[in-house]
Amino acid sequence: MAEQHEKALVPEIRFTGFTDPWEQRKLGELTEIKDSARIPNRLWREAGVPYIRASDISQEDLRGALFIDEEDYAAYKAATGAPEKGDVLFNGGGEIGKAIINGNSSPIYVQGGAVLYARIAHSSLLDARYLVAAFVTQNVVNAIGVLSAGGTMKHFTLQPAKNLPIEVPSIAEQRRIGAFFDRLDSLITLHQRKYDKLCVLKKSMLDKMFPKGGSLYPEIRFAGFTDPWEQRKLGEVARRVTRKNENGDSDLPLTISAQYGLVDQRTFFNSQVASKDMSGYFLLHRGEFAYNKSTSTDSPWGAIKRLEKYDMGCVSTLYICFELLSGDPDFLVTYYETDRWYKSVQLIAAEGARNHGLLNIAPDDFFETQICIPKRIDEQRRIGAFFDRLDSLITLHQRKLELLRNIKKSMLDKMFV
């Protein structure tokens, strides 16, 4: 039995030079776990010493929105103590178990009953970065769930935190593991910031590179283009596609995602919502567009997307499908990512006629909707190419982010017992 227990406490992957089995300890045996007093609302201020609540632990630099006076901080610190630089703060409420190292040299105070902290600086048995990583492992997450009290709103309080079981190797191995995950987290944060900045840039450019408020001139445009844009009916530049999948040319059921475009319905919903017999469905070819009249928070007037991922696929006859006859398709893809077409669709949607979020819009009326486009095809192409490149960069960083997160998930599973 002892031999089996030791084998169970050896991780699948280790750094070279470490062979000793890990041991299970209680968190309170490895370091001092502390709580603080809850500060009454009347003492909250807009400046002073940061007062960190559970919702603030998700901020990487512990940006607190609330503060307390220095005099109140001194009094509360004298009574209950306060976090020091290097302590590990972790949530006892809200997102329970979310942990972060306090990197502040200046004073902070934490919300009693909602944020606990481990006094790592006084421990020779526990590494701070190791502890932050350990809090994300499945064993610790499960243990916190068992020890947390309450119904819908769980609370992880001081005594259960002291009794939290945690598997630990030697302090030297802890430091290697902690440094590894700290570096991985830094890479994840870096790519998250790049991804977020690109998304913000795209949102800003969508707003500034397309005319708004009835104007025919965008706020920003490429050099050399000065002509006003023009209002055209969709039916003047596109025609409806109504071909059916009568010969079974495709067995791929497609659905429109506001975020991902036309995607395989089976993987998107983890099941096939479409009928197995799709002979009555519209057959869409690569490069053609489809309009899903279903509304959502992200798409209050539905979503219009182009088929890009597959050569062909089947869509519900509730969709309005069309092909572009003139103009740049990349431009039109981007145009329908803006909100500039909402008003035109809003005018033809039957008032109050929404069946489970499905707009009542007739195909003939849809092709009467107005779109605002540059007269010159080369300006359309410049805009379309710009956003296509921006989308590629966003996708690149999104994939890198997903890859790093998957690596972290795998390493947490294999580098901890």
Side-chain angles (χ1 to χ4, degrees):
M1 291 294 291
E3 184 180 353
Q4 288 180 347
H5 180 68
E6 282 194 2
K7 283 183 179 179
L9 292 183
V10 174
E12 184 177 341
I13 294 178
R14 306 182 81 165
F15 289 102
T16 304
F18 298 104
T19 57
D20 293 338
W22 292 22
E23 60 178 346
Q24 188 178 85
R25 302 286 295 275
K26 291 181 179 178
L27 186 58
E29 297 171 351
L30 301 171
T31 186
E32 187 179 7
I33 310 299
K34 300 180 71 69
D35 198 359
S36 298
R38 185 179 290 269
I39 305 292
N41 298 21
R42 58 185 173 80
L43 296 181
W44 294 355
R45 299 290 183 264
E46 294 183 358
V49 175
Y51 179 50
I52 306 301
R53 297 173 295 170
S55 57
D56 300 320
I57 299 298
S58 60
Q59 303 289 340
E60 62 194 62
D61 56 356
L62 286 176
R63 289 192 303 273
L66 299 176
F67 302 85
I68 58 175
D69 288 336
E70 291 187 9
E71 295 80 4
D72 292 326
Y73 166 76
Y76 277 97
K77 180 182 179 182
T80 66
E84 299 174 357
K85 183 177 182 180
D87 288 347
V88 173
L89 280 56
F90 57 96
N91 281 348
E95 193 179 351
I96 293 176
K98 177 74 175 178
I100 190 171
I101 298 173
N102 177 27
N104 293 294
S105 299
S106 53
I108 65 169
Y109 198 78
V110 294
Q111 181 182 14
V115 180
L116 306 169
Y117 59 97
R119 179 56 45 81
I120 301 294
H122 297 175
S123 173
S124 60
L125 302 173
L126 193 60
D127 178 74
R129 293 184 296 185
Y130 173 85
L131 180 59
V132 169
F135 265 111
V136 191
T137 62
Q138 198 58 54
N139 280 351
V140 173
V141 169
N142 291 343
I144 289 174
V146 171
L147 292 170
S148 297
T152 305
M153 297 294 291
K154 295 280 188 180
H155 297 282
F156 186 51
T157 53
L158 185 61
Q159 193 55 47
K162 291 180 179 180
N163 291 329
L164 178 68
I166 181 170
E167 290 81 16
V168 291
S170 67
I171 189 67
E173 188 172 3
Q174 286 184 46
R175 287 172 181 149
R176 291 290 301 276
I177 294 170
F180 171 81
F181 282 101
D182 184 61
R183 173 62 178 153
L184 197 51
D185 284 338
S186 295
L187 284 172
I188 290 171
T189 299
L190 175 66
H191 284 288
Q192 182 70 61
R193 285 174 178 167
K194 288 181 178 179
Y195 173 77
D196 291 342
K197 284 181 179 178
L198 286 169
C199 289
V200 170
L201 174 63
K202 180 178 179 180
K203 186 175 185 296
S204 175
M205 290 299 100
L206 283 172
D207 184 59
K208 293 178 179 179
M209 292 181 70
F210 291 81
K212 54 186 171 182
S215 172
L216 294 177
Y217 295 90
E219 184 179 339
I220 294 176
R221 61 200 306 192
F222 290 102
F225 300 106
T226 56
D227 294 339
W229 289 24
E230 60 181 355
Q231 294 279 356
R232 301 285 298 275
K233 291 181 180 180
L234 177 61
E236 294 174 357
V237 298
R239 68 181 172 198
R240 190 179 180 198
V241 170
T242 58
R243 81 174 70 85
K244 295 289 185 69
N245 187 41
E246 293 173 336
N247 299 322
D249 293 323
S250 175
D251 61 355
L252 175 64
L254 298 173
T255 192
I256 284 185
S257 158
Q259 183 177 0
Y260 301 108
L262 277 154
V263 294
D264 185 343
Q265 187 184 97
R266 295 166 299 193
T267 55
F268 189 74
F269 292 116
N270 291 322
S271 64
Q272 183 166 334
V273 180
S275 168
K276 289 183 179 180
D277 177 12
M278 291 186 288
S279 59
Y281 282 64
F282 287 143
L283 179 64
L284 205 65
H285 287 168
R286 185 190 295 272
E288 295 175 340
F289 291 77
Y291 173 36
N292 181 0
K293 297 177 285 183
S294 296
T295 63
S296 65
T297 303
D298 294 333
S299 303
W301 295 100
I304 299 172
K305 300 294 179 180
R306 177 178 57 172
L307 181 58
E308 299 174 341
K309 295 182 175 69
Y310 317 98
D311 289 331
M312 65 179 71
C314 302
V315 297
S316 166
T317 51
L318 292 173
Y319 287 10
I320 300 175
C321 304
F322 61 94
E323 62 176 331
L324 193 61
L325 298 176
S326 63
D328 181 66
D330 287 334
F331 171 83
L332 196 63
V333 167
T334 305
Y335 179 79
Y336 281 121
E337 288 189 39
T338 72
D339 61 1
R340 304 301 193 263
W341 58 282
Y342 287 179
K343 185 176 180 180
S344 189
V345 169
Q346 187 178 6
L347 291 173
I348 63 168
E351 186 176 355
R354 295 193 186 199
N355 182 18
H356 301 294
L358 190 67
L359 295 170
N360 185 7
I361 296 176
D364 288 346
D365 292 335
F366 176 70
F367 286 97
E368 290 292 312
T369 57
Q370 298 278 340
I371 58 175
C372 188
I373 60 177
K375 292 179 181 178
R376 292 172 54 178
I377 185 68
D378 50 344
E379 185 175 9
Q380 292 184 36
R381 287 174 180 150
R382 289 288 297 276
I383 294 170
F386 172 79
F387 282 99
D388 184 60
R389 173 62 178 156
L390 195 53
D391 283 337
S392 295
L393 284 172
I394 289 171
T395 301
L396 175 66
H397 285 290
Q398 187 178 33
R399 286 175 179 168
K400 286 183 177 179
L401 197 54
E402 289 172 356
L403 176 62
L404 287 168
R405 285 174 174 161
N406 287 336
I407 289 173
K408 181 178 179 180
K409 185 176 183 296
S410 176
M411 291 298 101
L412 284 170
D413 184 53
K414 294 177 180 179
M415 293 179 69
F416 285 79
V417 298

